[in-house]
Amino acid sequence: MTEAKTLLRMAALAVMWGSSFFWIKLGLHAFSPVQLVLARVVLGAVVLTIICYAQRDSLPAKRSLWGLIAIAAFFHNALPFLLFAIGEQTVDSGITGVLNATTPLWALLAAVLFRQDRRVTGIRLAGLVLGLGGIVLIFAPWHASGLLSWGALACLVASASYGFVFVYEGRYLAGTGTSPMGLAGAQMILASGFTLLALPVGGLTPITLDPGALIAVVILGVFGTGIAFAMNYRLLETEGAVATSTVGYLLPIVSVLLGTVFLDEELNLRVIAGMLVVLGGVALTRVRRRTPEPRPEPAAAEARLAR
C-alpha cells in the first residue's frame, strides 16, 4: 500500500508540474508575463506558509540564511518563472516542457564547472554531450522551420537557471537545520518580492477579464506551485532524491499531450526525436558508479556468522 501511495504521489506531481506550461499558456490570454508570475508566486507562498505552520514548522530565523535563500528565490523561482512565461508568448507549451527537461543537464554542467561533483564518470559526461546534442536537434538552427527564437532561448535559459541553482542550493541551503517546508515558504515569499519589483516594467498593462485564464492562474499558483513544492519535499523525505528525480522524465510527456490534445499544438518528428535524445542523455547523467562495500574484518565476519 505504501508503494502504491508513493506512485500516486509521483504521478500527481508529474501532472501538476507537467501541466504548468499548459496553465501558463492559458493564463497569458488575460495576464502579462509579470502579472501571471506575481499571482503564481504569491499564491504559492500563501499555500506553503499555511502548510509550514500547519505542520508546526517555522520560517528561517537567521538573517544570514534569508540572504542565501534570496539568491535561490531569484534563480529558482522569480527569474525562470518569468522567462518561461515570456517564452510561451511565442513557443508552444509542449515544446516548453521538452526544453524544461534539459534541467538535469545544466545541473551536471554546473556541478562540473564548480567542482561540486567528483563522481563525474565518462558515462555521465557522454549523457551531457548526448543531451546537448538533443537540444541542437530540437532547435535545428540549420532548418528554416527550426525553433531557434528569442522565446525558445528564454525557455532554455530558464531551464539552465534551474540547473545551476540546484547546485547552489545543495551547497548553501542543504543541512542548515531549517525544515525544507520552511525554506520553501521563505523562498516563495522572497520570489514574490522580486516579482513585485518587476511590476512597473511589464505588469501595469490592463488585465483582460477572462474566467478561463483566471482559473488557470489559480490552479498554477495553488497546485502547480504551492502544493507541488510541498509534495516534492514530502517525496524527498520519504523516497530520496533518486526516486523523486524520475518525475522529471514524465513532465515533457504531460506537457506535450496537453498541448497537442487541448491546444492543437503540432509536434513534428524532429522535436520528438530530440526529446527522446535529451531524455536519453538525462538518463545517462543519472548513472552513478557503485562503490564496492568494504570487506569485513575477520572478527566482524565471525560475529556475523555466529548470529
Side-chain angles (χ1 to χ4, degrees), residues 57-130:
D57 289 330
S58 59
L59 297 175
K62 297 180 180 179
R63 291 185 178 181
S64 58
L65 185 56
W66 278 89
L68 296 174
I69 297 173
I71 297 176
F74 182 79
F75 289 101
H76 196 163
N77 303 112
L79 179 62
F81 285 1
L82 185 57
L83 287 175
F84 275 128
I86 292 174
E88 281 207 51
Q89 290 180 308
T90 56
V91 179
D92 289 346
S93 63
I95 299 298
T96 307
V98 172
L99 295 177
N100 180 73
T102 65
T103 294
L105 303 176
W106 304 116
L108 177 59
L109 182 60
V112 172
L113 292 177
F114 296 106
R115 299 180 180 179
Q116 293 299 307
D117 193 343
R118 297 181 180 180
R119 296 170 295 180
V120 178
T121 62
I123 294 178
R124 298 183 72 192
L125 287 177
L128 176 60
V129 174
L130 182 64

Side-chain angles (χ1 to χ4, degrees), residues 13-188:
L13 185 58
V15 170
M16 284 189 284
W17 272 348
S19 64
S20 294
F21 309 105
F22 174 75
W23 303 122
I24 290 172
K25 180 67 75 173
L26 294 181
L28 289 172
H29 293 165
F31 299 90
S32 71
V34 175
Q35 293 167 346
L36 185 148
V37 173
L38 180 60
R40 175 183 185 178
V41 292
V42 168
L43 288 170
V46 171
V47 170
L48 286 170
T49 303
I50 291 174
I51 294 176
C52 178
Y53 284 103
Q55 294 182 351
R56 297 183 179 180
D57 289 330
S58 59
L59 297 175
K62 297 180 180 179
R63 291 185 178 181
S64 58
L65 185 56
W66 278 89
L68 296 174
I69 297 173
I71 297 176
F74 182 79
F75 289 101
H76 196 163
N77 303 112
L79 179 62
F81 285 1
L82 185 57
L83 287 175
F84 275 128
I86 292 174
E88 281 207 51
Q89 290 180 308
T90 56
V91 179
D92 289 346
S93 63
I95 299 298
T96 307
V98 172
L99 295 177
N100 180 73
T102 65
T103 294
L105 303 176
W106 304 116
L108 177 59
L109 182 60
V112 172
L113 292 177
F114 296 106
R115 299 180 180 179
Q116 293 299 307
D117 193 343
R118 297 181 180 180
R119 296 170 295 180
V120 178
T121 62
I123 294 178
R124 298 183 72 192
L125 287 177
L128 176 60
V129 174
L130 182 64
L132 295 178
I135 296 173
V136 175
L137 181 59
I138 291 171
F139 278 118
W142 62 86
H143 202 283
S145 60
L147 293 174
L148 191 59
S149 65
W150 288 112
L153 288 176
C155 295
L156 198 62
V157 172
S159 301
S161 182
Y162 280 152
F164 279 81
V165 81
F166 284 156
V167 176
Y168 169 84
E169 290 171 343
R171 179 173 182 178
Y172 294 103
L173 296 181
T176 58
T178 304
S179 71
M181 204 59 63
L183 288 174
Q187 191 169 314
M188 208 61 69

Side-chain angles (χ1 to χ4, degrees), residues 221-238:
V222 173
F223 293 95
T225 306
I227 294 178
F229 266 75
M231 188 173 292
N232 179 62
Y233 281 120
R234 176 63 175 170
L235 280 173
L236 284 172
E237 291 175 356
T238 59

